[in-house]
Amino acid sequence: MAGSPLMTGFIAAGLLLIVAAGAVAGYAATRPDTFRIERSIRIAAPPEKIFALIGDFKNWEAWSPWEKKDPDMKRLYSGPPRGKGARYEWEGNRNIGHGRMEVTNAVSPSALDIDLEFFSPMKARHKAEFRLTPEGEATHVTWAMYGTQNFTGKLISVFMSMEKMVGPDFEAGLSALKAIAEN
């Protein structure tokens, strides 16, 4: 039975599976070591008004796209209410997971830098930044997230695009921020 067509088919299928897995792993290894997701919007409001909405984590409930994905999310604020050292930890459903943000730099009203740490559904550490640039009577707001990708992150990026997963959330958040700041 060792030479039967059925056994030969199983062996061939097994070898094909091994070759395919090797090809995917090889391709994943060539993916970039870093990523950056960035979106911008023009808001008809002064930078000071917008900075107040992003510089205090308690104000994120009004505009952050993730706040709406789990109305029962648990939130913990610690450190100063705003500025360097302000922290926000969340724990929610599978759509938003569990993580923490900490402000590492705040230059009102032009720049906010944040350390992001995700505990679940996957562990990761990234950076986020907001840049506010006056443009006449409006403000150009840029929101970005960036970081490094280990092999697991590269492997996931073969099948799922962080740009496509997070980019639309940034767009929704910036649109909500615009609506609030312009009122």
Side-chain angles (χ1 to χ4, degrees), residues 27-36 147-150 153-154 157:
Y27 176 67
T30 68
R31 305 289 291 168
D33 293 332
T34 61
F35 73 93
R36 182 176 179 90
T148 59
Q149 294 191 110
N150 60 20
K154 291 178 181 187
S157 77

Side-chain angles (χ1 to χ4, degrees), residues 5 16 20 32 36 40 43 69 136 138 141 148 154 157 161:
L16 184 61
R36 182 176 179 90
S40 296
I43 300 176
K69 292 185 179 189
V141 179
T148 59
K154 291 178 181 187
S157 77
S161 165

